Every structure is written in structure tokens, then in C-alpha cells.
């Protein structure tokens, strides 16, 4: 649980960095219609959630560092018993001030009237330029109104992207954020174990998908992204989400799935034999991916370059592919030529947080950035062997990915998702009836 004082600290830090004579402006995510009168499940915008803890749509946070009449203002939906009968309770203005720690709150309908006046004396507006073109236009419109209606006011001359300041802050996780992520990891791990235990020949991908979602939802957690439940060849489609095909009796099942807890995501992949026992070739490839993951996780330490763990995975995979006869040539040359990309075409991981692919720069001044304590990354090497004629038949159609969520600590890397069996033997053990 993220406490109100942590949200206040985040806002204060951003205000300090933006400086006086600045306006910082962020909007809630819109509700999106699915069809007719039905909406997609509402998910608050991660940046807005990070600064407010507020889960309602139709809201705008405006921060004016140094403003004497109040710095942190929220525009949101006022209480409305008639509407609340249909759509559920709203926090309303008074509670927005009290519970969210705002200095003042205004009805969202008044945004157009109030905003131009708030821009008086501002030199810069920080917002997420380009994220919402409609909001970008409105900001220009408010500035034009200020110029037209308040003589002598030029209005803010600079529109600055908020991205860098805010996303640098989000990249390093606080103690309570890590607790939320551990909770998401725990529930996601339980779901993955449940899927392993439920899996039997004759089942359909959809039945396994239902096991995952059941486990998330009974803990009140939505999936953090559309799960991938890919039997056999479907594992070769990196973004497979149909999840509706019969499982192959003697094939593998690749699952990539996680839930979110209080907005914080987990992201786990496991690959296991539908029948509970790896065949010889499946096990050989599986153990190679596992070795690559071990080598990569060992690089997730403070002071190491972000790219080091990808490089470690690539080296292990390339060497193994060469030993298995799937690649031939000198190891360094194979790496240099990226020959491994035929079988391993994605990166080994990404930041993890409120977004599954979380925010933050991976490179600074054209160099890979250095890992710091309390960054959280995924480590997810894989191998995807197609059906081309030059590949020995026993390797064809095998797709494997193993993915865990790793926190950078001052000491050993912390595997937040280690509760899911990872070795071939442990997977076979948990699948035994
Ligand atoms: N589940 C998305 C990813 O692994 O990056
Ligand atoms: Mn994943
Ligand atoms: Mn991932």
C-alpha cells in the first residue's frame, strides 16, 4: 500500500525540480468505449496514479510550485448522487483535498474557465508532450485565452516535456513500491504454479488461461497485460494472445503472464511440457535457456551496465546453440554477427513497475545506463526454433522463454518471482499428479 505521505513526497520532489514559475500538468486516463454502452475496464494512467493515488477518470492534476494560495490542485468530478447511483461513488472535491493531500480541488467542468488564470506568471509548463494530442491542443488554447483576456500577459513561453523528471523518479522503487511489487509477484507466482498443476494433455489453452485469471481475480488483481498461453508452435509467435487452441500432447506450453497489485505489475514466463515430462531435446534446449537466465541474473547488480545482462544471456545462448549444432563458427564472431538472432530475436528484459514495460531511459549520453539499488528488471531469455529444412527435425517447433522479476539490491540479485519452479526437475515434480 502506498501511503498518502509518499504521494505528497513524489509531488513535492517534482515541484522542486520544476522550480518556481512553472506549471506541472497531468491528466487522468480517459474511459474508453468498447462498444455500445460498455467500456473497457478502467485503468488509471500510470504517471497520474504515481502522483495522486487517484483512480477516477475525468481528472487533471495541476501543480504550481511556490504559489502562495496553494501549489497542488486537483480538478475532478464533484459528488453527484444521481450519477453515483448509476456509476458508483465519486471521491468528490472535499475528500480529494483531505484524502489525497491536495491544497485545493475544483470541478472538472471548470477546467477551461480556471486554467488560463492559473497560467498567469508561469514561464514554463511541464507536461507529457505528445501523450495526448487533445490535451496538448487545450494547453495551447488556455495560453491563447490568457493572452487575449489578461492584457500584458504573454503566458508560459516554454512547453517542456515532463517525461524525464517524472520517469527518472519512477525508475527507482521505494520500500512500499517494492512491497506492492512483491505482492503482485506472489499472486502471479501462485497463478503460474496453479497453471502447471492444472495442465494435462487434452486441454485447451483457454482452460489454462482461465486458471491464471481465476487466481488473479480471487485476490482482486487484474492481469497486468494480456496473458500469453501458447502451446507448441504458438510459442514461436512472440505476441501470441489468442489463447484458444488445443494443447499438443507431447509439446511444450509457454505462458507469459502476471497480474498487477495496486497498479504494480509482475511479469513471469515459464515453459513446461504439457504431459509433465520433458523429452530429451526439449530438456536440452530448456536447460540452455535456464543457464542463460542464470548468467544474466548474476549481472543484475548495482554498478553493472543495464546491457550487461543481455550480453551475458546472448553469450551463453550462442555458445549453447553452437554446441548443439544449430550455429557453427567462432563464438565471438557469431555474437558479433548477431547470428543468434535467428533463434533469439528479443532483448533480455526491461524495467518493471507501474507499467509492465516501465518508464526510464535505458541509455544516457549514448551509453548503457548503470543499474542502481531498487531498480527492478525482468530477465527473460528465450529460444524460438522454427521449422526450416536446415534445422534437425528433433529441434523444430520448440519455443521456450523463462522470465523472472529481479530487484537490484546492494548484495545478491533478489528474484521476486522465485516461488515458481524453474529447473526442469522442479517443474516435473510440481506437475506430477
Ligand atoms: N509480458 C511482456 C514481456 O515479457 O515483455
Ligand atoms: Mn513477459
Ligand atoms: Mn517481460
Amino acid at each position: 500500500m502506498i501511503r498518502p505521505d509518499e504521494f505528497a513526497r513524489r509531488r513535492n520532489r517534482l515541484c522542486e525540480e520544476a522550480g518556481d514559475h512553472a506549471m506541472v500538468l497531468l491528466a487522468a486516463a480517459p474511459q474508453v468505449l468498447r462498444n455500445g454502452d460498455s467500456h473497457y475496464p478502467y485503468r488509471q494512467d500510470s504517471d497520474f496514479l504515481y502522483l495522486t493515488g487517484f483512480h477516477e477518470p475525468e481528472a487533471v492534476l495541476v501543480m504550481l510550485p511556490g504559489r502562495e494560495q496553494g501549489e497542488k490542485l486537483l480538478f475532478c468530478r464533484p459528488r453527484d448522487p444521481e450519477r453515483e447511483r448509476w456509476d458508483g461513488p465519486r471521491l468528490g472535491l472535499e475528500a480529494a483535498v483531505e484524502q489525497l493531500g491536495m491544497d485545493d480541488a475544483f470541478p472538472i467542468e471548470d477546467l477551461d474557465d480556471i486554467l488560463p488564470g492559473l497560467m498567469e506568471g508561469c514561464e514554463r509548463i511541464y507536461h507529457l508532450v505528445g501523450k495526448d494530442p487533445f490535451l496538448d491542443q487545450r494547453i495551447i488554447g488556455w495560453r491563447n485565452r490568457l493572452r487575449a483576456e489578461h492584457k500584458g500577459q504573454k503566458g508560459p513561453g516554454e512547453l517542456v516535456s515532463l517525461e524525464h523528471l517524472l520517469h527518472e523518479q519512477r525508475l527507482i522503487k521505494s520500500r512500499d513500491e517494492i512491497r506492492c511489487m512483491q505482492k503482485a509477484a506472489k499472486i502471479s507466482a501462485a497463478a503460474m504454479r496453479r497453471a502447471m498443476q492444472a495442465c494435462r494433455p487434452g486441454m485447451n489453452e483457454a482452460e489454462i488461461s482461465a486458471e491464471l485469471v481465476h487466481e488473479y481475480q480471487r485476490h482482486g488483481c487484474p492481469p497486468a497485460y494480456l496473458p500469453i498461453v501458447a502451446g507448441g508452435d504458438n510459442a514461436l509467435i512472440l505476441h501470441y494472445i489468442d489463447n484458444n487452441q488445443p494443447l499438443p500432447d507431447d509439446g511444450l506450453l509457454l505462458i507469459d503472464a502476471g497480474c498487477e497489485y495496486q497498479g504494480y505489475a509482475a511479469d513471469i514466463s515459464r515453459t513446461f511440457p504439457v504431459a509433465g515430462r520433458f523429452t530429451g531435446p526439449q530438456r536440452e534446449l530448456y536447460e540452455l535457456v535456464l543457464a542463460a537466465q542464470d548468467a544474466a541474473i548474476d549481472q543484475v547488480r548495482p554498478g553493472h551496465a543495464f546491457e550487461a545482462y543481455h550480453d551475458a544471456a546472448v553469450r551463453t545462448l550462442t555458445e549453447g546453440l553452437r554446441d548443439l549444432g544449430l550455429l557453427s563458427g567462432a563464438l565471438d564472431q557469431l555474437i558479433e554477427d548477431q547470428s543468434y538472432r535467428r533463434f533469439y530475436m528479443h532483448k533480455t528484459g526491461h524495467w518493471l513497475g507501474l507499467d509492465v514495460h516501465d518508464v526510464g531511459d535505458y541509455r544516457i549520453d549514448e551509453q548503457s545506463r548503470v543499474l542502481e539499488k531498487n531498480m527492478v528488471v525482468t530477465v527473460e531469455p528465450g529460444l524460438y526454433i522454427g521449422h526450416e529444412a536446415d534445422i534437425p527435425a528433433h529441434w523444430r517447433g520448440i519455443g521456450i522463454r523463462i522470465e523472472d522479476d529481479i530487484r537490484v539490491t546492494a548484495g545478491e540479485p533478489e528474484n521476486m518471482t522465485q516461488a515458481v519452479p524453474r529447473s526442469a526437475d522442479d517443474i516435473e515434480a510440481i506437475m506430477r499428479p
Side-chain angles (χ1 to χ4, degrees):
M1 171 89 179
I2 310 294
R3 288 182 294 242
D5 60 331
E6 180 161 339
F7 290 110
R9 270 201 304 280
R10 295 169 179 177
R11 291 191 293 265
N12 287 338
R13 179 169 156 194
L14 203 55
C15 281
E16 267 168 41
E17 289 172 346
D20 287 352
H21 309 293
M23 170 182 278
V24 180
L25 195 146
L26 286 105
Q31 275 188 304
V32 184
L33 267 185
R34 184 170 181 272
N35 53 29
D37 287 338
S38 298
H39 290 90
Y40 283 103
Y42 185 69
R43 166 58 159 75
Q44 186 56 279
D45 175 80
S46 295
D47 288 315
F48 186 86
L49 185 63
Y50 182 78
L51 291 173
T52 62
F54 189 45
H55 288 274
E56 292 184 22
E58 298 183 70
V60 171
L61 173 69
V62 179
M63 300 199 286
L64 295 151
R67 180 175 178 264
E68 278 173 17
Q69 310 92 303
E71 288 186 333
K72 282 83 176 188
L73 314 177
L74 189 73
F75 291 81
C76 62
R77 302 179 306 186
R79 300 294 311 271
D80 179 344
E82 188 58 32
R83 281 313 319 165
E84 288 178 50
R85 170 177 293 283
W86 291 87
D87 302 331
R90 298 172 171 190
L91 189 62
L93 309 183
E94 272 173 39
V97 172
E98 280 159 26
Q99 293 179 28
L100 303 178
M102 298 293 157
D103 294 320
D104 212 341
F106 304 96
I108 187 71
E109 304 87 90
D110 296 349
L111 185 65
D112 282 328
D113 290 337
I114 296 176
L115 218 283
L118 292 175
M119 283 182 176
E120 246 182 81
C122 284
E123 293 165 6
R124 303 175 303 288
I125 300 182
Y126 287 86
H127 80 116
L128 293 157
V129 181
K131 183 169 185 171
D132 174 355
F134 181 57
L135 183 64
D136 293 357
Q137 273 177 19
R138 287 180 84 187
I139 290 173
I140 302 292
W142 292 324
R143 185 173 65 176
N144 291 345
R145 279 250 320 272
L146 173 73
R147 287 175 180 170
E149 292 172 13
H150 298 244
K151 294 239 175 318
Q153 279 284 333
K154 287 215 310 277
E158 279 181 84
L159 300 180
V160 191
S161 177
L162 180 58
E163 200 171 304
H164 182 71
L165 294 185
L166 180 56
H167 293 176
E168 282 297 299
Q169 202 182 141
R170 279 179 54 187
L171 183 52
I172 311 284
K173 273 64 184 179
S174 70
R175 197 183 50 187
D176 285 342
E177 286 185 292
I178 287 161
R179 287 202 183 118
C180 287
M181 294 185 74
Q182 284 166 336
K183 191 82 196 242
K186 186 174 173 192
I187 297 163
S188 304
M192 191 66 88
R193 286 200 307 271
R194 178 172 166 152
M196 287 175 171
Q197 287 169 323
C199 185
R200 296 281 175 272
M203 290 178 94
N204 188 290
E205 292 165 352
E207 294 174 83
I208 303 295
S209 179
E211 296 289 337
L212 296 164
V213 174
H214 186 143
E215 193 65 23
Y216 303 154
Q217 295 206 333
R218 79 189 192 88
H219 289 97
C221 294
Y225 52 94
L226 293 176
I228 295 170
V229 182
D233 279 354
N234 292 334
L236 306 180
I237 303 167
L238 295 177
H239 291 162
Y240 178 78
I241 48 169
D242 288 348
N243 304 347
N244 60 4
Q245 294 303 303
L247 295 175
D249 287 356
D250 54 356
L252 295 174
L253 171 59
L254 185 158
I255 298 180
D256 182 341
C259 70
E260 65 179 35
Y261 178 78
Q262 309 235 331
Y264 288 87
D267 182 7
I268 308 179
S269 301
R270 285 293 184 272
T271 311
F272 49 92
V274 171
R277 289 291 299 269
F278 287 92
T279 65
Q282 288 167 354
R283 185 181 266 260
E284 267 194 285
L285 286 179
Y286 186 86
E287 289 185 338
L288 173 53
V289 178
L290 190 63
Q293 201 203 23
D294 283 334
I297 291 173
D298 194 47
Q299 294 297 320
V300 181
R301 296 172 184 276
H304 289 215
F306 171 80
E307 278 171 12
Y309 78 84
H310 175 65
D311 293 344
V314 161
R315 179 161 285 272
T316 305
L317 289 173
T318 307
E319 194 171 12
L321 288 166
R322 195 191 56 174
D323 293 348
L324 295 174
L326 283 160
L327 292 176
S328 59
L331 178 59
D332 287 333
Q333 195 61 46
L334 290 170
I335 293 172
E336 166 94 23
D337 298 344
Q338 302 194 343
S339 306
Y340 56 86
R341 285 183 62 89
R342 181 173 176 199
F343 305 114
Y344 181 46
M345 57 297 283
H346 60 75
K347 282 283 192 180
T348 307
H350 48 83
W351 310 128
L352 183 70
L354 283 170
D355 293 334
V356 178
H357 288 190
D358 208 31
V359 294
D361 292 331
Y362 289 99
R363 297 179 72 76
I364 296 176
D365 295 334
E366 293 173 30
Q367 303 276 326
S368 177
R369 91 179 289 155
V370 166
L371 296 178
E372 295 171 46
K373 188 178 161 191
N374 290 335
M375 290 176 168
V376 181
V377 298
T378 67
V379 178
E380 49 180 306
L383 283 176
Y384 311 91
I385 317 290
H387 284 274
E388 296 85 29
D390 62 331
I391 294 171
H394 55 283
W395 301 125
R396 288 182 204 163
I398 296 181
I400 295 168
R401 179 162 64 257
I402 311 173
E403 175 174 28
D404 285 277
D405 303 345
I406 312 293
R407 177 168 77 95
V408 183
T409 77
E412 292 300 302
E414 177 192 323
N415 186 342
M416 301 167 83
T417 45
Q418 68 178 356
V420 195
R422 217 165 55 92
S423 73
D425 286 346
D426 287 349
I427 287 174
E428 289 183 355
I430 197 176
M431 293 185 74
R432 228 162 264 142

